[in-house]
Structures are given as structure tokens and as C-alpha cells.
């Protein structure tokens, strides 16, 4: 007899879903998906203890539970609040939430350098997405923005604190994924910073994952910096036999060249299989990998643009608007020009590929 | 003359030492309490109606009864002596002059809650008080009121003093626990509350110094008798640390039956404003609570006399009222500048924000910069509305109450003294030379989400 677990009914933005006890509001909303899922800048499912810091995922709880239907007095961080049976949550249907979220985005942006045009994270940056959705065109901040010097943390990672939003994800990653903790948060308040204190190098086998978890461009891959824009690259699932990690990665290619290797992210931008530094930084040739196929990027990101996904043949509108007549200028060029001879099929001309005898005319290759 | 229960014996010479303290009725409550069942002590505290003296005013008995009691897991009592609120110095007075009262309260409370290891987390700047407390603990141990098998009851209790490292945020109870565990003092995200998962994931009660000291008179006189003192739900006595433009600054114990007017002008307490100046404004409960202009300080918006009680000070909500807070009574006379005062507080909160959550980390700094501009004659008219908007978006959206504490003073200053802010903006040069003087109190602005 299968165990029947009691499921909690939770209503988020008038959509009811049943989830297991112990699920957070954010996870329940993600099950519904779409716009109902609150944005999360600091929460990261695989990292224990993360979340609650950025305050972008604030939601209104209109009714606590069936047993205690009082509303919660404040907006709550949905990533760290568990659902109760009969809970009613308002996310995008609450004006209070939208207002608070706009405020948080404004706070996150006042000290952000907004250097997206020269930032490697642009195109896959969560803060960029968030500010497109909730930000304003102008800023009300008239003061000098907070800046820090760039720091190289070892040969592979660069830290640019100016862009950091202090989500603490990298600190948790270093704590939980890699063997020893080498960096943390120094100072407090608006001058707090991610730092290594004395030893300016992060070197252990899994530290590269901090680049993947960083929601902004504060931690970047030094082997990839300024090499290419992410939307010019084609992501491909690949794997290799790695003694240290799962070896399941995403390759970012342009042509045949592997520009960078990252761990595989789900649609919320979260990594579930951490990869080692060797896979990430040293195996940058296609021959190192077994390619499985193209990666689908489900997030509304520019990376998905121009990847011939769901392309539709354009409709011929000219004949429609001209009452069925084709315009004169667009007549078939072959019939006008005498240079081209449409009767000759170009692909049938003799050449290296089609000729009976292959002759290499290039003397250099002899 | 009001009743004094806590600092009545402070004047006795040598009261800091065990022998003198014992001679004057000290540790009687321990002897009495150890004959009671722990649950009865909690019941007695509940009956007394004692409310937390640290600022929030949460009923102590209720807090104690929330403490989870799972088998095989230690429970802890932590005394919050990280008193860093500008304008509040009552705990320092208590610990410095009558340390055994706190130790006595801690022993009784530890017995009631079943805490064998009890911690005093003391503000780092109170370096000399650590020595006083440690000496008091040592004396209590030698006389059998601490250590193993106290008074042959079979109950063991040790008290440890831990110094903070100079962070205001570590006065927030979960940040205090983090710091006590040896981590960075960032507030935890609640729930779980400390009563369920506190110090080292064990059930923990965190109480203010004054709250724990008040346990002693409650046990001595009984919860019912204690609840007779004061008005309504404000029972017992409260220490008020008065400072600012008054003739007699210092720590006063009030029995919460006197009015604010009496407290400010009576010679027994503050003794009025010096040099014949007029009262402009007052912060009745430590720097975090809303400032009140003179016209709302002595009388509530309904025209009633404002008393020194939790309810009366909060009458009218944040629109026309304030809070008892931690009892840091700051008085401003007509020569003080509210803009400058608000800037000072904003600078403090910017400096003390832990930087964990974004509204507080970025918002406090932004507010300080705008206030700085207004104060130094570079302000613009819409800066005032911008300030209002920033504080509105910080308040209630942060992990811990520091965000609220940073937002409330700014909100109240704009709400009641908008005229003065506007005068600063309109007269950038004159505002550098003289103060605005007495305010033409503007109409209070509407309160959003408080």
C-alpha cells in the first residue's frame, strides 16, 4: 500500500496547487511557473541556508493557513517561508508586492555600475532581467557609486566587487561544495565586501562553481573574460568521464571552438551537478567532450534569440497588399540579368567535391 | 515619589560586593525561587505582566512559555547586554553599580527555564563592566549561588560573560546568537524563532538586562503585587536614561504612573530644560523610535495627558505617537536642528547596518547622503519626498528590525518637521549660520504601512 502523504493546498495568485509539507512558497510558485514565480537573486536551491537576503522574492500572505487564516503583517521572503495548508499568497496580484519589489530593484541598482556593455555576465545576468522587469528608466540616485578595485582570485577567477549585490551565494558555495572555506564577507553595511582577507587566491577543485552561482558579473571566468558575448555562443550539453565530478557540462561554442565550459543550469539558473575546475578551465577543446546536443535555455534570455528555435517562414505580404500583383522590382534577377545563367546548376559544376578526379591545385599543401 | 525596585540600593556603599549586597536582602529571591517549581516561577512572571525592557515590550512570561522543551537537548538563557542604542544607557548603570542584581535575576531565570549554561553577551565598549560582572560571578560562585548543586537543589548553573566586538546589530537577538556562536553577526531569518532553534540550534531565551533584573523583585514580592504597580498593561518599574537638553541627565527608575510632563519638568527627574529654553522635541524611547514634537509630547492627539507607559507613548500610532522603546529619553531644546539630528541618526544606522539584505544596506546609505545634502545646503525640494519614499520602502521589507529602526526616525522627522526641512532647502546659506528654532509643526503626514 503506497504511503499517502498529506499534501498542502496553497493558492498563489489565484492558482491553487498541492505541494508537500515543507515546501517553500517560492518552490510552490515555481511549480506553477510563469510570472507567478517570484524572482530570486540570492536564493539557490542546492545551497543550504541561502536566501532571504535580497528581498526581491517578497510576497504578501493574505491568509496564513486554514487553521489560522489571519494575514501576515509584513511581506515575507517567499524563499524562506514554508507553505501551510490553505495558505493564500499574492505575488503579482498584490500592489504592495510590486511596489516593494520595485523598491528593492532600485536599491540593488543604486550602487551597481550598470556597465553591462562591458560586462561578461550581460545576457545571462539575473539583475539585468530583474531590472528589465521592475526597474525604471532613470535613477533617482545622484551620488557617486560605490567602487572597488578588481581582484584576481587565483588564475581562474576575477572578483569585481563593484558589481556585487552581496547575495552570499558564493560564500555558501565555498562552504558547502568545496573542501575548505577561503573567502567570506568582510566589513558590514554598504561597505561590506566579498574578500579573501589575506590570501588572495581561491584554489581548490570546486571553487570554479562560484562563477556559476554568481547572479551578476562580480565573479567572472578569467579564461573567458572579454573573449565573446554569451549570445553569440551556442550552448551544447556535453559530458566526459571525470574522476572528480559528474562531468556533465554545457559547452559554449562558436564555430568549432569551445569558448567556455559551465555547469548545466536549470530554467531558474540553478546548478545541480557541480563541476570541477579541470572540466571548467582546462578542457577547452571539442575533442575532450562527448556532445549530446544543443542546450535549451528556457529563461527569457538573449541567448535563446537567433537559435532558429520555432522559426516561422515569413509571410509574403507584398502580394497581399498589391492585390495579388508582384512588384516589378522584385522580379527574378536571373530572368533579367544575362550574366547569370539559370539553366546551369552551380552545384553540378566540376570541382573537388563533385569531380571525377580530385586534383589539389594548392601547391602549399603538397 | 515613585516606587523603586531595581536601583533603590545603588546608593549603599559597597553594594557592588557580595557581602554588602547579601546584607541588604540580596539573593533572597534565589532562596525563595529554589523552593518553587520552575513552572510556577514562569507562572509568577506571567502574572506580573512584565514586558521586555529591551525595546519591543513583548510579555516576558509569554516568551518564557514559548520555550520548546525537547528531551535531551540543552536549553539556554542569554542575557542581552549589548546596549548600543544612542541615548540608552540604563543597562550599563544597572550592571556597573549593582551587578549582583543581574546575577541574582539570571540564577532565578536559569532555574525557571532549566538553563545550565547562561550567557551574558555584553557590548564590547563596556570593557570595564566585564570585570565587574566577572568578579560578581566569582563571588556568587564562592558563596554557593552559582556552580554545581546550588543551595542543595541539585541544579547546576554557570554564567559566562562574552564581549561583543562593537556592532550595534549584535543587539538583535538572532545576530547576538550568531555572534555568540563565533560567527559573523548577521541576523537570522525567522522563523525558526530562538525559542525553538536558538543558540547552537537549541531552544534559547534572549532577554534584556533590565528584564532579568526585574525578575528579582517579582519573585520577592510576588507577581500579583508587581502587577499592581503601574497603569494597565504597563506594570512594574522601568529604567529611563534621560539625556539631551535637560538639567539633570541620568538614569531614573519610574513606576509608570507619572506623566511625560512631570518626568521632564519635575526636579525629581529631568528637572526641566536648562537656560530657560523651550522644549522643541523629544525622542522618548531611544534613537530608533519616532521623534515627537512638543505639542504631541505632553498630550496625545486626542487631548489626553501622555503618561510614561507603553500604551500612552504609543497612543496615536506612528501618526501622532511614538514608543516606549528601550527607555532612552532624548530631549531637544529650541536650539537644536532636527535635520542635523536626523542626519546623525541616519549616519549611525548606515554605519551599523550589517549589509545582509538590500533595502537596509543600500537604503540607509542613500538616506544619509540625501540628509547630508539637505543639512549642508545642497538639498532640493523633491529630496524630501524622495527621503519619504526611501524610508517607506525600507520599513517592513528587511530581515531584522534594524531596517525599521533606520526608517522610523527619518519618517517621523519629515512627518512632524517638514517645515524645517523645507526651510533648509529654501535657505541654503542661512541654514548654515543659524538653526530654525521652534518648529511650526507641519501637519503630520499620512502613515504608510506601520
Amino acid at each position: 500500500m503506497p504511503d499517502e502523504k498529506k499534501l498542502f493546498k496553497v493558492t498563489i495568485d489565484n492558482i491553487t496547487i498541492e505541494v508537500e509539507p515543507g515546501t517553500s512558497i517560492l518552490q510552490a510558485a515555481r511549480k506553477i511557473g510563469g510570472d507567478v514565480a517570484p524572482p530570486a537573486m540570492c536564493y539557490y536551491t542546492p545551497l543550504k541556508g541561502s536566501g532571504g537576503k535580497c528581498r526581491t522574492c517578497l510576497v504578501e500572505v493574505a491568509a496564513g493557513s486554514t487553521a489560522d487564516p489571519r494575514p501576515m503583517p509584513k511581506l515575507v521572503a517567499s524563499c524562506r517561508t514554508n507553505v501551510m495548508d490553505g495558505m493564500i499568497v499574492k505575488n503579482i496580484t498584490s500592489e504592495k508586492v510590486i511596489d516593494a519589489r520595485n523598491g528593492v530593484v532600485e536599491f540593488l541598482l543604486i550602487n551597481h555600475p550598470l556597465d553591462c556593455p562591458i560586462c561578461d555576465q550581460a545576457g545571462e545576468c539575473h539583475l539585468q532581467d530583474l531590472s528589465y522587469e521592475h526597474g525604471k528608466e532613470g535613477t533617482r540616485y545622484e551620488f557617486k557609486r560605490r567602487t572597488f578595485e578588481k581582484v584576481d582570485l587565483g588564475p581562474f577567477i576575477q572578483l569585481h566587487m563593484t558589481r556585487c549585490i552581496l547575495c552570499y551565494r558564493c560564500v555558501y558555495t565555498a562552504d558547502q561544495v568545496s573542501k575548505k572555506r577561503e573567502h567570506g564577507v568582510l566589513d558590514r553595511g554598504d561597505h561590506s565586501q566579498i574578500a579573501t582577507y589575506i590570501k588572495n587566491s581561491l584554489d581548490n577543485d570546486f571553487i570554479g562553481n562560484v562563477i556559476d552561482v554568481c547572479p551578476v558579473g562580480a565573479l567572472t571566468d578569467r579564461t573567458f573574460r572579454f573573449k565573446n558575448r554569451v549570445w553569440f555562443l551556442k550552448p551544447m550539453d556535453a559530458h566526459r568521464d571525470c574522476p572528480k565530478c559528474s562531468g556533465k557540462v554545457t559547452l559554449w561554442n562558436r564555430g568549432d571552438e569551445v569558448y567556455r565550459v559551465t555547469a548545466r543550469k536549470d530554467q531558474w539558473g540553478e546548478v545541480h551537478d557541480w563541476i570541477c575546475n579541470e572540466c571548467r578551465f582546462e578542457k577547452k577543446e571539442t575533442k575532450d567532450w562527448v556532445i549530446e546536443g544543443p542546450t535549451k535555455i528556457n529563461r527569457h534570455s538573449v541567448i535563446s534569440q537567433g537559435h532558429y528555435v520555432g522559426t516561422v517562414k515569413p509571410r509574403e505580404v507584398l502580394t497581399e497588399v498589391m492585390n495579388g500583383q508582384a512588384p516589378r522590382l522584385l522580379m527574378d534577377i536571373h530572368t533579367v540579368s544575362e550574366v547569370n545563367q539559370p539553366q546551369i546548376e552551380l552545384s553540378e559544376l566540376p570541382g573537388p567535391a563533385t569531380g571525377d578526379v580530385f586534383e589539389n591545385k594548392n601547391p602549399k599543401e603538397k | 515619589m515613585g516606587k523603586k525596585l531595581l536601583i533603590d540600593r545603588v546608593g549603599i556603599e559597597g553594594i557592588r560586593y557580595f557581602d554588602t549586597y547579601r546584607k541588604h536582602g540580596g539573593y533572597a529571591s534565589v532562596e525563595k525561587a529554589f523552593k518553587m517549581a520552575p513552572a510556577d516561577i514562569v507562572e509568577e512572571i506571567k502574572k506580573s505582566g512584565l514586558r521586555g525592557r529591551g525595546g519591543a515590550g513583548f510579555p516576558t512570561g509569554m516568551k518564557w512559555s514559548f520555550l520548546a522543551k525537547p528531551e535531551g537537548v540543552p536549553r539556554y538563557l542569554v542575557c542581552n547586554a549589548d546596549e548600543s542604542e544612542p541615548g540608552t544607557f540604563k543597562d550599563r548603570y544597572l550592571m556597573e553599580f549593582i551587578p549582583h542584581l543581574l546575577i541574582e535575576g539570571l540564577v532565578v531565570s536559569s532555574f525557571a527555564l532549566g538553563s545550565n549554561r547562561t550567557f551574558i553577551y555584553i557590548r564590547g565598549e563596556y570593557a570595564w563592566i566585564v570585570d565587574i560582572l566577572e568578579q560578581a560571578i566569582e563571588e556568587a560562585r564562592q558563596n554557593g549561588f552559582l556552580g554545581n548543586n546550588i543551595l542543595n537543589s541539585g541544579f547546576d548553573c554557570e554564567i559566562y560573560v562574552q564581549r561583543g566586538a562593537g556592532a550595534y546589530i549584535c543587539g538583535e537577538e538572532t545576530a547576538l546568537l550568531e555572534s555568540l556562536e563565533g560567527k559573523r553577526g548577521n541576523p537570522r531569518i525567522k522563523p525558526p524563532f530562538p525559542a525553538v532553534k536558538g543558540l547552537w540550534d537549541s531552544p534559547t531565551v534572549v532577554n534584556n538586562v533590565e528584564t532579568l533584573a526585574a525578575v528579582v523583585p517579582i519573585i520577592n514580592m510576588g507577581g500579583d503585587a508587581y502587577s499592581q504597580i503601574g497603569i494597565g498593561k504597563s506594570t512594574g518599574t522601568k529604567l529611563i536614561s534621560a539625556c539631551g537638553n535637560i538639567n539633570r541627565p541620568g538614569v531614573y527608575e519610574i513606576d509608570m504612573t507619572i506623566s511625560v510632563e512631570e518626568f521632564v519638568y519635575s526636579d525629581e527627574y529631568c528637572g526641566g530644560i536648562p537656560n530657560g529654553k523651550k522644549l522643541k522635541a523629544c525622542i522618548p524611547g531611544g534613537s530608533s523610535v519616532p521623534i515627537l514634537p512638543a505639542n504631541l509630547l505632553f498630550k496625545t492627539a486626542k487631548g489626553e495627558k501622555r503618561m510614561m507607559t507603553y500604551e500612552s507613548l504609543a497612543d496615536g500610532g506612528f501618526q501622532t505617537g511614538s514608543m516606549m522603546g528601550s527607555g532612552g529619553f532624548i530631549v531637544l531644546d529650541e536650539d537644536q536642528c532636527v535635520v542635523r539630528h536626523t542626519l546623525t541618526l541616519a549616519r549611525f544606522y548606515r554605519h551599523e547596518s550589517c549589509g545582509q539584505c538590500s533595502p537596509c544596506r543600500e537604503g540607509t546609505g542613500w538616506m544619509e547622503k540625501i540628509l547630508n545634502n539637505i543639512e549642508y545646503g545642497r538639498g532640493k525640494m523633491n529630496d524630501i519626498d524622495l527621503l519619504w519614499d526611501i524610508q517607506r520602502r525600507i520599513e517592513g521589507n528587511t530581515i531584522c528590525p534594524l531596517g525599521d529602526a533606520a526608517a522610523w526616525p527619518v519618517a517621523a522627522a519629515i512627518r512632524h518637521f517638514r517645515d524645517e526641512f523645507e526651510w533648509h532647502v529654501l535657505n541654503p546659506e542661512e541654514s548654515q549660520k543659524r538653526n530654525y528654532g521652534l518648529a511650526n509643526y507641519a501637519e503630520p503626514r499620512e502613515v504608510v504601512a506601520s
Side-chain angles (χ1 to χ4, degrees):
Chain A
M1 203 177 117
D3 283 344
E4 259 194 45
K5 265 190 189 162
K6 173 139 174 44
L7 294 179
F8 280 176
K9 256 190 192 157
V10 54
T11 307
I12 305 170
D13 285 341
N14 303 322
I15 302 168
T16 306
I17 188 174
E18 286 192 337
V19 293
E20 280 181 21
T23 313
S24 66
I25 298 174
L26 184 86
Q27 295 293 13
R30 282 184 174 180
K31 276 192 177 167
I32 298 170
D35 290 342
V36 174
M41 299 298 291
C42 64
Y43 177 74
Y44 211 70
T45 317
L47 297 175
K48 211 173 147 260
S50 67
K53 294 177 172 54
C54 68
R55 317 307 281 177
T56 54
C57 69
L58 290 175
V59 291
E60 185 182 341
V61 177
S65 65
T66 320
D68 181 13
R70 284 177 302 170
M72 290 190 186
K74 287 178 177 180
L75 302 181
V76 297
S78 60
C79 60
R80 291 292 294 266
T81 311
N82 285 352
V83 295
M84 301 296 287
D85 198 19
M87 189 183 252
I88 297 171
V89 179
K90 283 177 169 183
N91 178 21
I92 48 172
T93 47
S94 161
E95 274 180 35
K96 244 168 95 183
V97 170
I98 298 297
D99 181 59
R101 196 168 290 159
N102 290 350
V104 172
V105 173
E106 187 174 21
F107 286 136
L108 285 175
L109 289 177
I110 57 168
N111 274 311
H112 191 77
L114 294 172
D115 57 350
C116 309
I118 55 148
C119 176
D120 278 308
Q121 190 84 3
E124 55 177 12
C125 174
H126 290 231
L127 189 61
Q128 213 175 18
D129 296 345
L130 191 69
S131 35
Y132 272 115
E133 281 161 20
H134 297 281
K136 289 203 189 77
E137 278 176 27
T139 178
R140 298 188 286 178
Y141 190 71
E142 296 170 343
F143 305 94
K144 226 178 137 189
R145 283 164 198 255
R146 179 175 65 222
T147 50
F148 294 89
E149 292 287 313
K150 293 189 191 94
V151 184
D152 285 338
L153 306 171
F156 300 126
I157 303 167
Q158 190 176 69
L159 169 67
H160 194 14
M161 261 310 293
T162 311
R163 292 175 186 152
C164 180
I165 59 163
L166 285 164
C167 67
Y168 285 59
R169 277 183 189 174
C170 58
V171 180
Y172 288 114
T173 309
D175 263 357
Q176 294 168 23
V177 178
S178 65
K179 288 271 161 31
K180 55 180 180 181
R181 180 176 172 171
E182 289 162 331
H183 75 299
V185 180
L186 291 189
D187 293 338
R188 66 176 179 225
D190 58 358
H191 47 286
S192 53
Q193 56 172 315
I194 305 286
T196 50
Y197 194 43
I198 295 167
K199 193 178 130 212
N200 274 334
S201 171
L202 295 179
D203 52 344
N204 65 63
D205 278 342
F206 281 83
I207 201 68
N209 289 301
V210 298
I211 300 166
D212 279 345
V213 301
C214 185
V216 292
L219 289 161
T220 44
D221 184 343
R222 284 187 70 197
T223 63
F224 176 64
R225 274 176 71 81
F226 307 129
K227 291 274 167 64
N228 222 313
R229 310 275 7 189
V230 288
W231 56 87
F232 293 139
L233 303 177
K234 283 192 184 168
M236 268 182 291
D237 282 347
H239 67 263
R240 70 182 269 265
D241 282 332
C242 178
K244 290 179 197 156
C245 65
S246 67
K248 288 180 185 163
V249 300
T250 303
L251 298 184
W252 297 76
N253 279 21
R254 185 165 182 181
D256 290 338
E257 204 176 332
V258 178
Y259 273 84
R260 67 165 180 172
V261 183
T262 66
R264 289 185 196 172
K265 292 183 178 180
D266 64 7
Q267 59 164 322
W268 309 109
E270 288 176 354
V271 172
H272 293 280
D273 285 325
W274 308 104
I275 62 167
C276 65
N277 282 4
E278 192 187 336
C279 288
R280 184 186 301 273
F281 299 117
E282 283 158 26
K283 302 291 175 191
K284 292 225 172 175
E285 280 181 66
T286 324
K287 68 174 185 201
D288 297 327
W289 299 96
V290 181
I291 290 174
E292 295 162 18
T295 310
K296 267 191 191 158
I297 305 278
N298 287 324
R299 292 178 62 244
H300 45 204
S301 154
V302 285
I303 304 167
S304 319
Q305 304 300 313
H307 277 195
Y308 315 111
V309 184
T311 44
V312 185
K313 205 183 166 199
R315 209 150 48 93
E316 291 289 343
V317 284
L318 276 172
T319 46
E320 268 177 42
V321 296
M322 294 180 73
N323 300 324
Q325 280 183 317
R328 279 184 69 85
L329 271 174
L330 293 179
M331 65 184 108
D332 191 349
I333 199 162
H334 289 106
T335 58
V336 181
S337 161
E338 289 179 4
V339 177
N340 285 314
Q341 293 173 317
Q343 65 272 23
I344 297 172
E345 189 65 49
L346 289 172
S347 62
E348 285 172 9
L349 285 176
T354 53
D356 293 332
V357 183
F358 175 66
E359 279 180 345
N360 195 346
K361 297 274 173 61
N362 192 348
K364 277 183 191 165
E365 283 190 27
K366 270 259 158 94
Chain B
M1 179 114 180
K3 211 171 185 123
K4 282 188 181 171
L5 299 172
L6 299 174
I7 56 171
D8 51 343
R9 284 169 289 179
V10 161
I12 301 167
E13 203 184 323
I15 194 73
R16 205 182 268 173
Y17 302 104
F18 181 85
D19 297 338
T20 323
Y21 182 74
R22 183 87 173 113
K23 221 180 282 165
H24 288 87
Y27 289 96
S29 71
V30 178
E31 287 165 337
K32 190 176 172 189
F34 275 51
K35 286 177 196 134
M36 297 161 74
D40 293 341
I41 303 175
V42 177
E43 202 52 45
E44 209 62 31
I45 303 293
K46 267 189 181 169
K47 264 192 249 167
S48 74
L50 175 68
R51 294 172 67 169
R53 303 297 198 223
F58 191 79
T60 307
M62 208 189 277
K63 192 176 194 171
W64 285 15
S65 62
F66 286 156
L67 185 72
K69 295 190 169 84
E71 281 296 310
V73 178
R75 296 189 289 274
Y76 294 106
L77 171 68
V78 178
C79 171
N80 184 349
D82 193 76
E83 179 186 54
S84 327
E85 180 115 334
T88 308
F89 44 89
K90 61 183 178 65
D91 295 344
R92 165 186 159 178
Y93 188 86
L94 201 69
M95 289 187 289
E96 191 172 351
F97 293 108
I98 185 158
H100 277 289
L101 185 70
L102 173 62
I103 306 300
E104 186 180 349
L106 278 171
V107 176
V108 174
S109 311
S110 302
F111 178 67
L113 297 166
S115 159
N116 298 114
R117 276 189 291 164
T118 297
F119 296 88
I120 301 173
Y121 186 92
I122 189 164
R123 177 182 178 186
E125 286 88 337
Y126 287 175
W128 72 100
I129 301 180
V130 177
D131 299 339
I132 296 173
L133 285 175
E134 275 179 344
Q135 192 199 346
I137 290 168
E138 189 51 42
E139 283 180 339
R141 185 182 292 116
Q142 280 168 7
N143 288 283
F145 286 99
L146 271 178
N148 291 338
N149 196 12
I150 300 166
L151 302 180
N152 295 318
S153 64
F155 178 73
D156 307 337
C157 181
E158 283 295 337
I159 298 177
Y160 301 92
V161 184
Q162 173 62 46
R163 262 181 82 184
Y168 173 66
I169 189 64
C170 290
E172 201 275 342
E173 58 177 0
T174 52
L176 186 152
L177 296 177
E178 285 278 302
S179 176
L180 201 53
E181 287 179 16
K183 300 176 188 154
R184 182 183 161 85
N186 277 358
R188 294 177 186 167
I189 294 144
K190 286 169 267 185
F193 288 93
V196 181
K197 248 185 168 186
L199 193 59
W200 293 298
D201 284 350
S202 308
T204 306
V205 166
V206 184
N207 273 135
N208 179 258
V209 171
E210 192 191 339
T211 317
L212 292 166
V215 168
V216 175
I218 290 172
I219 296 302
N220 280 337
M221 66 200 290
D224 284 325
Y226 190 85
S227 69
Q228 298 304 311
I229 309 165
I231 306 170
K233 282 184 181 171
S234 304
T235 61
T237 60
K238 172 94 184 82
L239 293 181
I240 303 284
S241 54
C243 62
N245 300 116
I246 46 174
N247 277 321
R248 298 179 66 223
V251 176
Y252 298 101
E253 187 168 4
I254 57 161
D255 57 3
M256 296 208 260
T257 52
I258 61 165
S259 68
V260 180
E261 192 166 5
E262 191 188 338
F263 186 74
V264 175
Y265 288 111
S266 140
D267 283 336
E268 192 188 333
Y269 301 109
C270 300
I273 318 284
N275 307 326
K277 293 267 168 58
K278 286 194 182 105
L279 176 80
K280 179 176 185 175
C282 171
I283 302 169
S287 69
S288 314
V289 308
I291 190 170
L292 279 181
N295 63 339
L296 287 171
L297 182 63
F298 298 144
K299 283 207 169 90
T300 64
K302 294 177 209 149
E304 292 162 7
K305 201 182 212 184
R306 208 184 276 281
M307 310 294 286
M308 290 291 281
T309 64
Y310 284 94
E311 288 79 25
S312 186
L313 282 172
D315 188 90
F318 283 178
Q319 183 76 32
T320 56
S322 185
M323 271 170 84
M324 173 65 105
S326 56
F329 199 86
I330 309 171
V331 180
L332 279 69
D333 73 11
E334 58 187 291
D335 282 350
Q336 304 307 315
C337 172
V338 171
V339 179
R340 188 171 188 84
H341 164 82
T342 314
L343 167 66
T344 311
L345 293 184
R347 185 185 299 135
F348 173 77
Y349 288 111
R350 197 267 295 154
H351 187 253
E352 296 295 345
S353 165
C354 77
Q356 195 180 197
C357 60
S358 18
C360 175
R361 178 182 67 233
E362 308 292 351
T364 49
W366 195 1
M367 289 201 298
E368 190 216 334
K369 283 173 182 162
I370 294 173
L371 279 164
N372 203 56
N373 267 1
I374 297 176
E375 166 66 18
Y376 291 106
R378 296 188 298 268
K380 290 192 297 296
M381 220 45 172
N382 58 4
D383 279 350
I384 303 169
D385 287 323
L386 181 57
L387 263 182
W388 182 265
D389 207 42
I390 297 169
Q391 69 80 17
R392 183 175 68 83
R393 282 175 161 170
I394 297 176
E395 195 212 329
N397 292 342
T398 53
I399 294 175
C400 79
L402 193 135
D404 300 343
W408 290 340
V410 175
I414 298 176
R415 188 181 297 132
H416 298 300
F417 297 93
R418 202 183 158 86
D419 282 15
E420 191 161 343
F421 282 85
E422 286 174 357
W423 179 78
H424 263 263
V425 172
L426 293 173
N427 304 291
E429 277 166 30
E430 202 185 344
S431 67
Q432 301 307 299
K433 291 176 198 145
R434 70 171 185 94
N435 281 325
Y436 183 64
L438 280 173
N440 297 320
Y441 314 114
E443 279 292 301
R445 284 182 61 143
E446 201 182 322
V447 190
V448 185
S450 62

